[in-house]
Amino acid sequence: MFDTAVGSRLTDVDGNTYLDFFAGAGALNYGHNPPALKKPLLEYLARDGITHGLDMYTTAKGEFLHAFEDGILKPRGLDYKVQFPGPTGANTVESALKLARKISGKEAMINFTNAFHGMTLGALSVTGNSMKRGGAGIPLVHATPMPFDNYFDGTQPDFLWMEKLLQDSGSGLNEPAAVIVETVQGEGGINPARVEWLQGLDALCKRNGILLIVDDVQMGIGRTGPFFSFEIAGIQPDIVCISKSISGYGLPMALTLIKPEHDVWGPGEHNGTFRGNNPAFVTATAAIKEFWSDDALERSTIAKGERVHEAFSEIAARSQTVELTPKGRGLARGLQFGQPELAAKACAAAFERGLLMETSGPSDEVMKILPALTITDAELDEGLAIVAESVAAVTEGMSQ
């Protein structure tokens, strides 16, 4: 039973500490209770700042919008209108799907194999995992999955199937309103799309008049290095979904970013009671000012990610009995097990040694790590040593 947390460590009620390689499933990119965010939050609460504001104008919301425009969008040459949907990742996805249908007048969506976009019905309709889809209890329609990058292990040209279906009037494919994609599939197994694949997808959408939605809920806010995970490809999606670490403090908050020409919402057409979570605006503003005034965090994240990749490659090379494959980008990393059941056992072994991790992938075959971007080098090395020990503990004596 956990009680307190600071930085990359949690402490339970008995005083035992655990190193956190989970970071709230990517909601705590700056760690637990970061001081630079906690101080303005406490000050805001102490002066009776508005906590709940629906869609009303508040100082906290205004300060966030100015900070986001000046600190994030303008330096990257991006022009988006900012919508506050309900404060979850699934809700920003729902708003994106609804808006794309309203813009285009079309119903169908294209998603990708092993995608994960949330647990509400619209988000589930574009999610790949059969177990999660099964929980809907009704048919999930109006979406067609296409192969994600490297789905055929490089044996087929990119977008061969997708382009054929789009161009063939006999394919039976409903004309799509939009394509929704993660640049790195997190829940799907830490599957990174190559830069050229993302650029090819963007070009394909433009050629065919299809809107491009990037779901940056887990991979945004610096998780892969840049603030937006799609920056490396030099693309500008029509709609961007943001949540998880945008508040910087684990407070519920989500954004739907919309190219100005696509803002066709009518008043109240997508609303929600908790769009005005003002404490989240306060910490989000502080996070932008603290961590994104320069590129130091981005460079640090990329360097730490390379350190993880080296460590995972060493673990894989040492394994004589089980095939292990390093995966990922930035500080979204995974180690895929040739024997899927061993990934969960490795995570359990790590927990016994004081390290929090989770599994991902369609068969939970990937040991997934999402450390705080602010983790120290010493903490990172400490955790990687536990990972190596835990993998060795469950793979020794196994046969492929």
Side-chain angles (χ1 to χ4, degrees), residues 105-370:
K106 303 166 187 173
E107 295 180 2
M109 293 289 162
I110 286 177
N111 60 313
F112 290 96
T113 50
N114 290 315
F116 178 79
H117 296 288
M119 300 295 279
T120 48
L121 292 180
L124 275 178
S125 73
V126 290
T127 287
N129 186 286
S130 60
M131 181 275 288
K132 292 179 171 64
R133 290 175 63 88
I138 60 170
L140 296 171
V141 295
H142 307 302
T144 302
M146 293 291 171
F148 190 70
D149 189 18
N150 206 38
Y151 188 70
F152 294 111
D153 298 320
T155 61
Q156 300 293 331
D158 294 342
F159 310 114
L160 174 68
W161 175 242
M162 187 171 170
E163 293 224 60
K164 181 71 173 176
L165 291 182
L166 285 168
Q167 294 165 6
D168 183 2
S169 60
S171 70
L173 179 70
N174 292 323
E175 194 174 355
V179 169
I180 184 166
V181 67
E182 305 154 271
T183 66
V184 180
Q185 295 181 329
E187 297 301 310
I190 306 292
N191 307 317
R194 291 167 297 135
V195 167
E196 54 268 34
W197 189 87
L198 293 169
Q199 292 169 337
L201 177 63
D202 180 62
L204 183 151
C205 288
K206 285 183 168 64
R207 286 196 305 273
N208 290 278
I210 303 170
L211 296 168
L212 177 61
I213 303 169
V214 167
D215 179 346
D216 232 3
V217 168
Q218 188 169 85
M219 295 300 157
I221 329 298
R223 175 53 56 184
T224 65
F227 188 89
F228 297 108
S229 70
F230 57 80
E231 289 181 51
I232 58 168
I235 62 174
Q236 296 189 3
D238 296 288
I239 304 173
V240 183
C241 300
I242 295 289
S243 185
K244 284 193 184 285
S245 275
I246 183 61
S247 80
Y249 208 80
L251 298 174
M253 180 177 171
L255 307 176
T256 306
L257 307 182
I258 307 161
K259 282 190 174 180
E261 63 267 28
H262 297 322
D263 180 20
V264 297
W265 286 121
E269 207 167 3
H270 186 85
N271 58 21
T273 303
F274 294 101
R275 288 170 296 155
N277 186 4
N278 283 257
F281 300 155
V282 171
T283 55
T285 300
I288 291 170
K289 293 177 179 178
E290 176 71 14
F291 296 107
W292 295 101
S293 60
D294 56 32
D295 65 352
L297 182 66
E298 177 178 345
R299 288 186 287 105
S300 170
T301 298
I302 292 170
K304 288 172 183 172
E306 288 303 312
R307 172 71 189 97
V308 176
H309 178 71
E310 290 169 8
F312 279 11
S313 297
E314 291 168 8
I315 293 170
R318 285 198 301 268
S319 177
Q320 300 297 312
T321 56
V322 178
E323 183 182 3
L324 301 172
T325 307
K327 309 174 75 177
R329 177 175 293 141
L331 276 174
R333 295 285 172 172
L335 195 59
Q336 181 172 303
F337 285 69
Q339 294 176 234
E341 70 280 2
L342 294 182
K345 291 181 179 179
C347 288
F351 182 72
E352 291 173 1
R353 292 162 173 79
L355 179 67
L356 292 178
M357 293 188 299
E358 69 167 342
T359 58
S360 70
S363 301
D364 288 323
E365 74 278 13
V366 177
M367 188 184 70
K368 172 184 176 184
I369 71 165
L370 296 173

Side-chain angles (χ1 to χ4, degrees), residues 42-54:
L42 291 174
E43 290 173 348
Y44 182 80
L45 295 173
R47 71 171 183 83
D48 294 327
I50 291 171
T51 299
H52 179 268
L54 284 171

